[in-house]
């Protein structure tokens, strides 16, 4: 069974840092592109970041560029999101999400973790 | 960036109703469109990808259609477990953007 388990969330002051982790099981992580998606309190889904299966490509939503870094350690079956200079508006539930390729070669999210909550507040 | 406009933002329906949710992209996304269901307090769940391909295990009452910039998710006969929020997402071009969501309530 595919499982994605996030950890590392918590309460942090504005300007602070956190590192989120996502432990994958039930599949070979190195074969998949991975994403982070967040959901603010009572809000919709916002895609945050992507990393390709071989780490060759990474993408970020504009609001986190220069502050967040996505990386992976396939030997540890883990995905990470380093978040620096956190702002109030980064408060959200952060989901780790696996992506599959469709027949046209585009990558869509097919599995989600349960999320880890990040609260940025003084 | 590609903007996704989803409508309606909420709708009221009854068990057995036919429900249609629309999603419009600001640019042609060439069928690279997925639909997700999110029940309260739960993670999103993939329903449909590539506009019309049903994810394994998803009931056949869910149907996706569309092309170009206009896409639709249809639930042919609403069941009690279908009351939830639905999101479309384009994965044609980063940043991969979601619609605002449609809350299907009784």
């Amino acid at each position: 069974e595919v499982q994605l388990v996030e950890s590392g969330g918590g309460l942090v002051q504005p300007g602070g840092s956190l590192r989120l982790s996502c432990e994958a099981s039930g599949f070979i992580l190195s074969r998949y592109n991975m994403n982070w998606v967040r959901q603010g309190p009572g809000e919709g889904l916002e895609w945050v970041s992507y990393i390709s299966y071989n780490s060759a490509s990474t993408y970020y939503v504009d609001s986190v560029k220069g502050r967040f870094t996505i990386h992976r350690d396939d030997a540890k079956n883990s995905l990470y999101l380093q978040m620096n200079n956190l702002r109030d508006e980064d408060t959200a539930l952060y989901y780790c999400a696996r992506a599959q390729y469709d027949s046209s070669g585009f990558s869509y999210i097919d599995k989600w973790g349960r999320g880890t909550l990040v609260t940025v507040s003084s | 960036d590609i903007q996704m406009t989803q409508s309606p933002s909420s709708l009221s329906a009854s068990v057995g109703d036919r429900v249609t949710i629309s999603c419009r992209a600001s640019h042609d996304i060439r069928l690279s469109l997925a639909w997700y269901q999110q029940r309260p307090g739960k993670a999103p769940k993939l329903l449909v990808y590539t506009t019309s391909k049903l994810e394994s295990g998803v009931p056949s009452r869910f149907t996706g259609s569309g092309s170009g910039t206009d896409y639709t998710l249809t639930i042919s006969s609403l069941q009690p477990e279908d009351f939830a929020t639905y999101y479309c997402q384009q994965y044609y071009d980063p940043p991969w953007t979601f619609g605002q969501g449609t809350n299907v309530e009784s």
Side-chain angles (χ1 to χ4, degrees), chain B residues 79-100:
Chain B
Q79 297 302 299
E81 60 269 29
D82 300 338
F83 291 100
T85 300
Y86 295 83
Y87 295 92
C88 61
Q89 186 207 15
Q90 68 82 16
Y91 55 92
Y92 180 70
D93 193 42
W96 293 283
T97 40
F98 290 89
Q100 304 95 314

Side-chain angles (χ1 to χ4, degrees), chain A residues 84-96:
Chain A
N84 297 330
N85 192 19
L86 283 159
R87 304 169 180 168
D88 290 353
E89 55 265 34
D90 296 319
T91 293
L93 185 64
Y94 284 73
Y95 293 103
C96 168

Side-chain angles (χ1 to χ4, degrees), chain A residues 39 47 50 95 102 109 112-113, chain B residues 36 38 43-44 50 87 91 96:
Chain A
Q39 187 167 34
W47 171 83
Y50 159 99
Y95 293 103
D102 68 10
I109 291 173
W112 301 69
Chain B
Y36 300 92
Q38 187 177 34
T50 316
Y87 295 92
Y91 55 92
W96 293 283

Side-chain angles (χ1 to χ4, degrees), chain A residues 48-119:
Chain A
V48 174
S49 185
Y50 159 99
I51 186 166
S52 62
Y53 69 97
N54 59 2
S55 299
S57 298
T58 58
Y59 297 102
Y60 301 90
V61 67
D62 282 351
S63 60
V64 310
K65 282 180 183 175
R67 301 188 299 122
F68 289 12
T69 303
I70 190 172
H71 62 107
R72 61 193 297 158
D73 185 338
D74 294 333
K76 295 183 177 180
N77 293 315
S78 292
L79 174 73
Y80 304 97
L81 186 67
Q82 178 66 44
M83 306 187 297
N84 297 330
N85 192 19
L86 283 159
R87 304 169 180 168
D88 290 353
E89 55 265 34
D90 296 319
T91 293
L93 185 64
Y94 284 73
Y95 293 103
C96 168
R98 188 184 81 168
Q100 283 272 18
Y101 283 112
D102 68 10
S103 57
S104 299
F106 293 93
S107 185
Y108 65 94
I109 291 173
D110 71 331
K111 299 292 183 187
W112 301 69
R114 294 188 174 184
T116 186
L117 182 62
V118 172
T119 303

